[in-house]
Amino acid sequence: MSAPTGQDAVHGLGSTGGTAARPASGAGRTGNPGNRTAGSRLPRVRSRTPEPSAGVVVDGYPGRPSVRAGETLRLHVSTRAERFRAHFYRCGARPRLMGSTEGPGRYASPGSHDEDWNWPGHDFTIPEEWPSGVYIAALSPGTAQPAAPADAEALDARHSRLLFVVTAREPARTTRILYKVPVFTYHAYNRSGGASLYGALPHDEAHRTVTLRRPGGGTGGPVKGMPDAHDPRTPRQTFAHWDAPFVSWLETSGFTADYCTDLDLDETPRLAHHYRLLLSAGHDEYWSPRTRRHVTAYRDQGGNIAVFGANTCWWRVTPNDDGTAISCAKYPPGVPQGSDADRMRGAPDHWWETEPENLLIGVSYRNGGGYWDGPREQLGFTVQHTGHPVFAGTGLREGDILGAEHSLVGYECDGAAYRRDVHGLAIPTGSDGTPADFTILGVADLPTAPDSGWNTTARENTDPRRAATFGLYTKGGTVFNAATTDWPRLLRLDPRIRALTRNVITLLT
């Protein structure tokens, strides 16, 4: 979820989309052994990314968002330079330079948001010894080596970057944790080619399709959304904003993890079953039916899930047959494109209207809300059940407020419909699909005043009250949900958030 079109800015629009131009004919092998280029026809262009500024010399995207260690990654690169170079950084505790490749430059035109851009290919074999992780390729002209970035924030850019995930050659050989990278959500907000899964187009459409084969998708492309007043260093809906801080904390804290994308979980039914814990953080909004079905089966068979984010599993997307594009139907019949579909019933691909996401993750965005523009008031969780092991070492007592001084709740948050028992404790009603044994560990009632800045969606009942609720339940495996997108932001700010996060991961592994 994000602000409707017309209310938001686009980060970097016009500063990326390739340095592109039509590839020369007669493409052949590069001069580098083991690397090759492969030209192909250009797609029909409708909406286009503007030509880049003069300072942008190389741009690109991966042929697929993930690659297994030891196998071949195809980079699709466009440049006017005679040669280009790609430096590969693994983003863990801090970015680590793992290697590089170079090749001849060829120039290809930007394409449409909904069709494969078909840029020239350059193959690179991932060394077998590269650990699983999130990798960013920094693209540059010539062969010079760039300065080492201090962190993923410094590595992030709206052009000349591409993100891919290296999956484990031997799953779970060194870890019991699998981290899910939300590539579907990255591309839902990626505006390379002139459009994302948001806003109106000049022509009618039953559903919106965006290709994964274009610049952007975590980094390297223009991003739909307003600036984050609480962390303006990077745009929301990028890897650097929520996932990178969580991954950095995770690996700095001594945890190891294997990494995958949501497309990997979609295509490989039992991928998660090798692990004790599936992790998601920040903003993991767009889920395919198969991803959800496979994750649910994992939970039912004893797999644990921890969500340190919100607005999770809100929209349903459908990948095409070869996994190179996703589609989403957002508007009820007869509703104009660009309308706020979240405020009405009948959106075809709203998960909650046909299969409420709370059935899996315990909470739903429709019971919480979003605060998109500017600083929001300081709101935290009022905690309860502080004798639970997840609170060990936090110093929190019943009724204390967690995270308010750093505006923990938002920019989007999820909740369960709840009531108070005879002791005044919040318990789920279960009327919205939240499991009956979901233990609410903290509640944050959202302001209801019309000018509060909080935006809410349609739901089954007309009660104006909304609340974020974090907690957990067990059904086969245990599912913990932190219920706010900004949980990763507070890892560097609040020792209680760090302790709670460590406790959850330790308990579930």
Side-chain angles (χ1 to χ4, degrees), residues 63-266:
R64 283 184 62 84
S66 67
V67 59
R68 188 166 171 253
E71 296 183 353
T72 299
L73 169 72
R74 172 159 291 186
L75 307 174
H76 294 270
V77 178
S78 170
T79 181
R80 290 187 175 95
E82 290 186 4
R83 296 190 68 78
F84 76 91
R85 192 170 183 88
H87 291 87
F88 301 109
Y89 295 89
R90 183 184 182 277
C91 296
R94 60 190 58 81
R96 175 187 171 196
L97 181 62
M98 302 296 292
S100 64
T101 187
E102 63 179 87
R106 291 197 297 139
Y107 190 54
S109 296
S112 170
H113 68 278
D114 58 349
E115 293 181 333
D116 184 343
W117 286 27
N118 283 310
W119 277 1
H122 178 92
D123 287 351
F124 175 76
T125 299
I126 302 295
E128 292 183 9
E129 65 273 15
W130 278 17
S132 180
V134 180
Y135 287 71
I136 291 177
L139 305 172
S140 58
T143 59
Q145 180 168 324
D151 51 28
E153 173 198 341
L155 192 54
D156 183 58
R158 307 280 64 78
H159 58 79
S160 305
R161 301 287 187 272
L162 62 88
L163 178 149
F164 62 95
V165 172
V166 173
T167 59
R169 187 169 180 82
E170 299 177 48
R173 185 175 68 86
T174 61
T175 181
R176 306 179 82 185
I177 299 171
L178 180 64
Y179 189 99
K180 177 182 183 290
V181 180
V183 168
F184 291 162
T185 301
Y186 294 160
H187 274 286
Y189 289 85
N190 175 17
R191 285 190 52 86
S192 286
S196 65
L197 286 183
Y198 292 83
L201 291 179
H203 56 275
D204 291 333
E205 53 184 3
H207 58 266
R208 177 76 53 85
T209 297
V210 293
T211 179
L212 307 187
R213 288 185 170 173
R214 56 181 173 149
T219 190
V223 181
K224 179 212 178 292
M226 295 176 174
D228 187 344
H230 296 274
D231 188 1
R233 297 173 300 168
T234 55
R236 296 171 178 144
Q237 331 311 343
T238 61
F239 169 74
H241 199 72
W242 288 299
D243 289 282
F246 193 94
V247 168
S248 178
W249 174 85
L250 185 73
E251 298 198 4
T252 300
S253 299
F255 295 104
T256 59
D258 286 343
Y259 295 79
C260 72
T261 70
D262 24 29
L263 182 61
D264 296 315
L265 289 166
D266 175 281

Side-chain angles (χ1 to χ4, degrees), residues 39-52:
S40 54
R41 69 174 182 82
L42 290 171
R44 171 173 53 93
V45 174
R46 293 199 293 271
S47 57
R48 295 172 61 91
T49 297
E51 288 291 339

